[in-house]
Amino acid sequence: MKLLLGIAVAVLALADAGQSPLQRRVVKDVLDYFHSRSNVQFLFREQSVEGAVERVDSSGTFVQLHLNLAQTACRKQAQRKQNCRIMENRRKPVCLACYKFDSSDVPKVLDKYYNCGPSHHLAMKDIKHRDEAECRAVEEAGKMSDVLYLPGMFAFSKGLPA
């Protein structure tokens, strides 16, 4: 049993090591969001990340993750959250997260979108199209700030006293 636990910890450490700091930040934010929902009674853990995308452009960094969660035996209000074991054959929701960070030393979130639900829910065509459109909009965040301000773009006038 201890060997199995050791292997599980090693696998989680390797999975965490493969993620960039921004990806880890997105995972933490999505878990916080998921646990804040009123219908969630138990703690969930990251089981795997599929399809991680990280693109850097002049307006910042876009991160998109498909995050598979697994329900643990601990309730949300548990004091010791590290020792919660994953429950087999329980809920395993999937989350899609799209984040756009600026290019500063401490990246700020410019825009974000996430959607969590059962895996069959996110596979539905209309939801999938909405998710893709929302992620495209998030990726475009901050790009309008690259537009040059030319003379005459804005007009200001001072009103006469009444």
Side-chain angles (χ1 to χ4, degrees), residues 119-136:
S119 57
H120 66 275
H121 173 78
L122 292 183
M124 291 174 52
K125 206 175 249 186
D126 57 335
I127 294 174
K128 192 171 187 167
H129 288 307
R130 184 194 68 209
D131 286 347
E132 289 170 359
E134 291 286 348
C135 283
R136 277 193 303 276

Side-chain angles (χ1 to χ4, degrees), residues 66-77:
H66 288 273
L67 185 63
N68 295 311
L69 304 179
Q71 183 176 333
T72 67
C74 297
R75 291 212 166 261
K76 273 199 307 191
Q77 294 79 14

Side-chain angles (χ1 to χ4, degrees), residues 20 22 53-63 99-103 139 143:
S20 74
L22 288 179
V53 173
E54 191 165 329
R55 283 192 287 270
V56 179
D57 62 20
S58 61
S59 62
T61 305
F62 173 73
V63 177
Y99 277 64
K100 181 71 176 259
F101 295 95
D102 68 4
S103 301
E139 188 170 8
K143 288 189 177 179

Side-chain angles (χ1 to χ4, degrees), residues 16-154:
D16 194 39
Q19 292 178 345
S20 74
L22 288 179
Q23 290 175 5
R24 285 193 299 275
R25 185 170 158 188
V26 169
V27 169
K28 182 189 177 313
D29 199 35
V30 169
L31 281 170
D32 289 346
Y33 156 74
F34 190 78
H35 288 129
S36 71
R37 295 170 26 171
S38 62
N39 64 335
V40 175
Q41 303 300 318
F42 290 87
L43 282 175
F44 284 75
R45 269 200 191 147
E46 166 193 357
Q47 189 170 31
S48 65
V49 175
E50 298 174 4
V53 173
E54 191 165 329
R55 283 192 287 270
V56 179
D57 62 20
S58 61
S59 62
T61 305
F62 173 73
V63 177
Q64 178 177 338
L65 300 176
H66 288 273
L67 185 63
N68 295 311
L69 304 179
Q71 183 176 333
T72 67
C74 297
R75 291 212 166 261
K76 273 199 307 191
Q77 294 79 14
Q79 296 296 324
R80 291 185 155 178
K81 297 179 181 185
Q82 307 89 300
N83 301 328
C84 299
R85 63 180 168 74
I86 291 177
M87 301 292 288
E88 294 301 320
N89 302 321
R90 295 295 173 117
R91 294 184 348 181
K92 295 189 186 227
V94 176
C95 295
L96 170 68
C98 300
Y99 277 64
K100 181 71 176 259
F101 295 95
D102 68 4
S103 301
S104 62
D105 291 340
V106 180
K108 294 184 187 89
V109 176
L110 296 175
D111 199 5
K112 64 183 174 181
Y113 171 78
Y114 32 66
N115 186 13
C116 297
S119 57
H120 66 275
H121 173 78
L122 292 183
M124 291 174 52
K125 206 175 249 186
D126 57 335
I127 294 174
K128 192 171 187 167
H129 288 307
R130 184 194 68 209
D131 286 347
E132 289 170 359
E134 291 286 348
C135 283
R136 277 193 303 276
V138 168
E139 188 170 8
E140 295 300 314
K143 288 189 177 179
M144 290 306 293
S145 64
D146 293 341
V147 175
L148 293 174
Y149 291 108
L150 300 173
M153 284 183 76
F154 300 99

